[in-house]
Each structure stands twice: as structure tokens, then as C-alpha cells.
Amino acid sequence: MGKVRIASRSELDQPGCRVYQVDGHTLALFQTEAGLFAVDNRCPHMGFPLDRGSVKDGILTCHWHHARFDLATGGAFDLFADDVPAYPVFVEGEEVFVDLSPTRDPERYSRKRLRDGLEQNLRLVVAKAVINLVQPEIPATAVAPFTIGLTFGSQYRAGGWAMGQTINTCMLNLLPHLQTVDRPVALYQGLTAVARDTEGMAPRFAIEPLPGPTVDFLTLKRWFRQFVEVRDGEGAERCLATAIQAGADAGHIGEMLFAAATDHRYLTIGHVADFTNKALEALDQVGWEHASTVLPSLLPSYVNATRMEERNEWRHPIDLAVILQIAFEKIPAALDAGRAKNGAVYPLARSAPTLLSDNPQAIVDLLLHMLADGVAPQDLAQHVSYAAGRRIVHFHTANEFGDWDTVLHTFTYANAIQQGLRRVGSPELLRGVFDAALSVYLDRFLNIPAAPLPEVGPTGDEPAALLTAFSQLLDERYQVNQAGRLVAQFLSNGGQAEALMATIGHALLREDPDFHTIQTVETAFSQYRLLQGQPEAEHMLIAAARYLAAHAPTPRAQNQTYQIALRLHRGEKVFEG
Ligand code: FES
């Protein structure tokens, strides 16, 4: 599309603005002392008609939120608004023409606007960029915008990897479980979390690898752990950067990180291991060429970590740190004995009573016994993750509200260690399984009295109707037990877990979900997948539903912003009257 006639010269006898419909465009043609200017008549912020704006000194002001634009180029002076498309105007004889040729590459412009949104923490801008960049039916199209957020978050937060990056990665992990229409919403929620987390923060300056000949990996790993031990972030980062530059593979890098992440007990209520797992999962999706940008951002969490053996509850009245230290010394022998047994299979129902008991010595003894009996490390971790999930299933609503976080932290930590063991078969990481098991033990009073597992049998209710009832239920506050029961009823009536996860995901995304609720749902879905085919799998979905119900409804402001962006994208009117 090029030059198009818009008006006769004789029509433009007075200064001001006139609106023309030309080849599918609605143009505002301004006649000023400086000449004729044509712009799209829709304010690129939220669609207000720009012919109702004001022009002064070459600046067009929209009167809804007062965004200002250079009338000649359309460039916005306020970053919350996009540039308005501006079209060159020509007068030839008695006729006035505009050139409607596109002036920008839409994809490139959307990537730039995504960065603007991240830099300025503008969620409407992020939402618009995501809608333009992602094709919901092709989940792979989410990777490019996710990567922009991942690398941005790694570079622009001196405090390193935190909630925003974790939420962003959780959201990417959730995509396969979601309805098509919800996939961009998830990405938007993740990217806006990065924007919030980096707002006002100092950037992080990367430390270069060691110069000269490469130090061998085992030395770098040993040095790395020593530097983390004495909380020396610079030394630790240089070791990590050197290992990455030397081409250490994902397994070795994971081994190095997880060894340090389990050198002390349950670091920062599990966040260090969880952040590490999420960073590695993110790299799996975007490519390990981003490792040198992303992974060093983890180190502040390592060197500033709270070591739980320094906390009273881990030392008194029972010294759990001592119980664990003795157990750790027995792990090599247990592994040796287990190798000869060739992979024993333990049902979850057999380990759960002890793992949920009030006897920490019996718990670590069981874990050692299972290892010696041939249970593989990652399978052992599965038993502990399941027990941690059961704490959420049995969490009683009489507990203080903040204690939902306590059971969630153990659950995400157990899952992170399990995922780590699936990636790295290191005996060092096995210590995390024992730590997680004793954190499950410490959470025992949050199950007293225990909320019962919903006991339901098949009824005549249609599964689809139960899903609708579930969504409606979460419009009311704190429907925890009812939500768990509806999930159990849905599954008992033959409902498909995939449909249930999509419904839970949708219910999550319509809220202003907090960090912990996102973590719980993502972890529960991940655990469901690992347990799929076993009767205990559905307990993970009950856990997700209960936790979400405890934290809903919220004002739902974030989703409202996304819906505005979607309406604007469709060309609908947001401003009426
Ligand atoms: S500034 Fe124009 S619609 Fe908001």
C-alpha cells in the first residue's frame, strides 16, 4: 500500500483536525501552522480517538491519560504509550495524499516494546508485546519473549535471581498444561514478575572467567564450594564463569551448583535449590548458550543464604543437623549395598506413614534402608516429594494463614532436589533428600489435626459441570476443603486430569497470583506428571487446588490489564462515549 488520495485541498480551509476513512485506516488529519500531518486516529495506548486530542507546538496530546506524541513522526514522549503510526502527507495540485506504506517491522518493534515494558515496569506494554509476539497455538513461539525476560532479569538485578525469574520460568513450564488462550497470559504474568523484580534495582556486572589455561573441572568445583562456604561471591562467580567458558556440560554445571546448594541444611528455606533448579530448567528451554548470562545471577542467593543448622528448630530439642550428619556418612555404604540389589521398587504407601511421622531418626533410617535396598536416588527423592505434597493435602484451615508458605517451601525444595537428581546423579545432592525429609518432619504440626483426604465415590455429576463449579467456587474466599473435594469428585467421576490442570491453570492466571501460589501449582503439576499412573498422583492436584483456593480471589488487576491489551489488539473499543 502506498500513496492514497485523502482529501481535496479546498476541504482544508480551516486549522484543526478532520477524520478520514482510507483503505481500512481511520486517519486523523491535522492542519497546523507547520503544515498537514496524518496519524492513526486511535491512541496507541488505549484507543482514545486522537482527533479529540490537542496540538500545541507540534505535540499532540491524547486527553485520556495525557500521552504526548511528536505530530510529525508519531513518536511517543511517554513510554507507556506506543508510537502512533504517522503517515507522510503530500499536496499535489488540488489533491491531498497520504503514504500508507508501513514504516516499521512489527516483530522487531514488539521486541523493543517488550524491553521497554521490562525496563519501565509497564504491564500493559508487556501484555501488548506478548500478544503480538506469541502465537498461542504454537507454544514454541513463547521461547523468544521468555528469553528476553530471562536475560534481562539476569543482568538488571544486582541481587541476582529471585522471585521474578522463578515465576517467569514456572509460567513457561506451565504452558503445556494450559488452554491455548491462556498461554500468552502465563507468559505475560511471568514477564511482568521480572519487571517488578528488577524495577529500581542496580544492574549486575558479570565477572570474567580466569585468564589463561583452563583449570580442571574438579578443582573449579572444589574452589567453588570453598568460596560459597566463606560467602565469597566474587571468587565463586569466577569459578563458575570459568567452568562455563571451558565448556563444562549441563550435567557438570548442575553438579557444581547442587553440591554447594546442599553443603548446608535447607538453605534459605529451600530457595537456593529451587532457584537453581529453575535456572537450569530455563536454560534447557532457551539453550545453554545463555548459561554465562543466567547462572552467575544465582550466586547472591548462595553466598547470602540462611543455613538452617544455625536455626533453633533444626537444633533443638532434637539436633536434626547431627542426625543428618551421621546419616550422610552412611550414604556411600548404602549406595554400594543398593547397587547389588538392582533397583528395588517401593510403593509410596509403604514409605508415607514413616515420612509423615514424628520420629526424625526413623525417617532418616528409612531413607538409608531404602537406598541400601536398591531404591534409586531419584526414586527416593520421589517418596519425599510426595510426602511434602501430602502436607499441603492435609493442611488444616485452622492454621495461621502464613503457614501455607511453610508447607509450600518444603514441597518446592523436595521437588527441586528430585529434579536435580534426575539431572545429576551425585551422592552430594542426596543430602538434599534427607534435608527435605526432615523439613517434612518439622512441618508435622501443620497437619494436626489433619485435614482428611476427600472420600468420594462416583456420582452422576458431569465432569465438565464440576470444573465449572470449581471455577465458581474460587470466586469465594478460602474454599479450601471444598476445592479439594471437587477435584477428587471430578477425578472419581472420570474427569481427565489434563482438563483439570487446564482449569486450575486458568483459575491461577485470572488472579494476581502470588509467588508461592504459582510455585505450588507448578510443582504440583510437575509432581503429577512424575507420579502419573499411580493412585497417589491425584493427591498432587488436590494439593494444587487447596493451595490456590486458599489464595483466591484476588483483585484480578493483572488479568484485567491483559484483557485490555487483548481487546485493543482485536481493534475493539476500550474507550466508549
Ligand atoms: S493516553 Fe491515549 S488512550 Fe491513554
Side-chain angles (χ1 to χ4, degrees):
M1 196 179 304
K3 207 164 85 173
V4 178
R5 181 191 174 280
I6 185 171
S8 300
R9 189 78 187 87
S10 57
E11 292 171 34
L12 308 174
D13 52 352
Q14 295 290 329
C17 183
R18 292 167 187 78
V19 177
Y20 294 93
Q21 303 287 340
V22 190
D23 277 2
H25 294 259
T26 304
L27 301 183
L29 183 67
F30 289 90
Q31 185 174 18
T32 73
E33 287 176 358
L36 288 166
F37 301 95
V39 298
D40 197 296
N41 194 33
R42 204 160 183 254
C43 177
H45 177 228
M46 284 178 59
F48 192 80
L50 285 174
D51 65 299
R52 293 167 69 175
S54 301
V55 175
K56 183 180 177 188
D57 192 21
I59 293 176
L60 167 62
T61 301
C62 171
H63 286 308
W64 197 359
H65 309 96
H66 313 292
R68 295 153 302 160
F69 307 90
D70 167 24
L71 188 57
T73 64
F77 293 104
D78 301 279
L79 286 175
F80 65 81
D82 293 293
D83 296 340
V84 63
Y87 304 98
V89 182
F90 308 93
V91 179
E92 294 180 2
E94 275 307 299
E95 307 293 351
V96 180
F97 296 87
V98 288
D99 184 353
L100 295 176
S101 304
T103 53
R104 66 190 184 205
D105 173 346
E107 188 170 335
R108 197 165 158 193
Y109 182 75
S110 293
R111 284 201 299 269
K112 175 193 130 27
R113 287 299 283 160
L114 176 54
R115 278 196 69 90
D116 288 343
L118 291 167
E119 290 168 4
Q120 307 293 326
N121 189 15
L122 297 166
R123 63 187 187 204
L124 183 61
V125 173
V126 172
K128 289 175 180 175
V130 166
I131 289 167
N132 286 328
L133 289 169
V134 175
Q135 297 174 48
E137 62 286 353
I138 307 176
T141 56
V143 172
F146 170 81
T147 307
I148 292 173
L150 177 71
T151 53
F152 180 88
S154 299
Q155 292 170 306
Y156 291 98
R157 192 174 190 283
W161 186 289
M163 284 191 297
Q165 295 277 62
T166 306
I167 291 173
N168 198 26
T169 308
C170 283
M171 288 298 179
L172 191 69
N173 289 345
L174 283 174
L175 292 190
H177 302 294
L178 300 175
Q179 299 167 26
T180 304
V181 291
D182 284 333
R183 290 174 185 157
V185 189
L187 190 64
Y188 151 77
Q189 292 265 18
L191 290 166
T192 51
V194 172
R196 284 194 301 277
D197 225 12
T198 48
E199 186 178 28
M201 295 288 171
R204 202 183 65 75
F205 298 108
I207 292 176
E208 293 198 344
L210 292 168
T214 307
V215 182
D216 69 274
F217 173 74
L218 288 178
T219 303
L220 286 171
K221 178 184 169 188
R222 188 174 68 251
W223 289 350
F224 178 76
R225 293 170 75 180
Q226 285 173 12
F227 285 129
V228 171
E229 178 65 28
V230 298
R231 302 184 185 277
D232 177 355
E234 292 175 6
E237 182 168 342
R238 198 143 209 210
C239 292
L240 180 60
T242 305
I244 293 168
Q245 190 189 50
D249 62 20
H252 280 101
I253 295 295
E255 178 189 325
M256 187 173 182
L257 289 167
F258 274 122
T262 49
D263 274 342
H264 290 276
R265 312 285 57 80
Y266 192 45
L267 288 177
T268 315
I269 49 175
H271 281 139
V272 176
D274 185 47
F275 290 176
T276 302
N277 179 49
K278 281 288 161 285
L280 300 180
E281 288 177 349
L283 289 174
D284 288 343
Q285 302 235 31
V286 305
W288 274 74
E289 65 270 24
H290 297 286
S292 61
T293 303
V294 172
L295 294 180
S297 74
L298 289 168
L299 289 178
S301 71
Y302 277 63
V303 298
N304 298 320
T306 305
R307 299 165 175 178
M308 285 301 149
E309 64 268 32
E310 296 169 354
R311 295 283 287 268
N312 178 65
E313 64 267 32
W314 283 72
R315 304 308 291 250
H316 191 84
I318 299 173
D319 196 331
L320 302 179
V322 168
I323 290 176
L324 286 167
Q325 195 51 48
I326 294 169
F328 294 162
E329 287 161 14
K330 295 178 180 174
I331 287 177
L335 284 171
D336 283 345
R339 272 183 210 108
K341 302 279 179 60
N342 209 11
V345 175
Y346 263 65
L348 293 168
R350 192 166 153 198
S351 64
T354 302
L355 292 176
L356 293 168
S357 76
D358 60 358
N359 186 338
Q361 189 62 58
I363 291 168
V364 297
D365 288 347
L366 173 68
L367 296 178
L368 285 169
H369 174 76
M370 289 170 72
L371 278 179
D373 219 15
V375 174
Q378 68 229 47
D379 295 337
L380 190 76
Q382 178 66 83
H383 285 256
V384 176
S385 297
Y386 172 69
R390 285 283 295 269
R391 286 281 185 240
I392 300 175
V393 171
H394 297 296
F395 186 92
H396 200 282
T397 51
N399 287 308
E400 196 179 14
F401 187 75
D403 277 328
W404 282 103
D405 296 352
T406 308
V407 287
L408 160 276
H409 284 132
T410 305
F411 188 41
T412 51
Y413 177 73
N415 176 66
I417 296 294
Q418 183 184 353
Q419 302 292 354
L421 277 165
R422 296 175 75 221
R423 174 189 300 276
V424 180
S426 105
E428 289 138 354
L429 186 47
L430 256 176
R431 297 172 302 178
V433 178
F434 287 70
D435 288 354
L438 290 198
S439 188
V440 172
Y441 155 77
L442 283 169
D443 296 348
R444 67 198 181 282
F445 280 102
L446 301 174
N447 286 170
I448 297 177
L453 268 174
E455 282 187 25
V456 295
T459 64
D461 298 313
E462 283 295 322
L466 292 170
L467 289 184
T468 303
F470 176 82
S471 292
Q472 290 169 347
L473 186 70
L474 267 57
D475 288 333
E476 295 175 51
R477 197 161 289 284
Y478 218 58
Q479 300 297 304
V480 174
N481 296 326
Q482 296 87 333
R485 189 174 177 82
L486 264 178
V487 165
Q489 192 66 67
F490 170 83
L491 294 168
S492 175
N493 286 12
Q496 296 298 307
E498 284 67 26
L500 175 60
M501 288 193 280
T503 300
I504 293 174
H506 180 77
L508 173 78
L509 294 170
R510 72 180 173 176
E511 303 294 344
D512 301 329
D514 72 310
F515 177 39
H516 294 137
T517 307
I518 295 164
Q519 281 185 301
T520 304
V521 171
E522 191 260 355
T523 302
F525 285 11
S526 168
Q527 285 295 315
Y528 174 82
R529 284 277 174 244
L530 290 166
L531 290 170
Q532 203 165 6
Q534 300 184 56
E536 288 85 356
E538 69 179 58
H539 297 161
M540 300 298 103
L541 300 183
I542 292 172
R546 295 187 91 238
Y547 201 101
L548 177 58
H551 295 79
T554 60
R556 301 177 178 173
Q558 284 172 219
N559 193 38
Q560 189 215 14
T561 299
Y562 180 86
Q563 295 305 327
I564 287 171
L566 194 59
R567 290 177 62 196
L568 291 167
H569 180 74
R570 290 176 181 146
E572 294 173 15
K573 279 187 180 171
V574 175
F575 176 82
E576 303 291 347

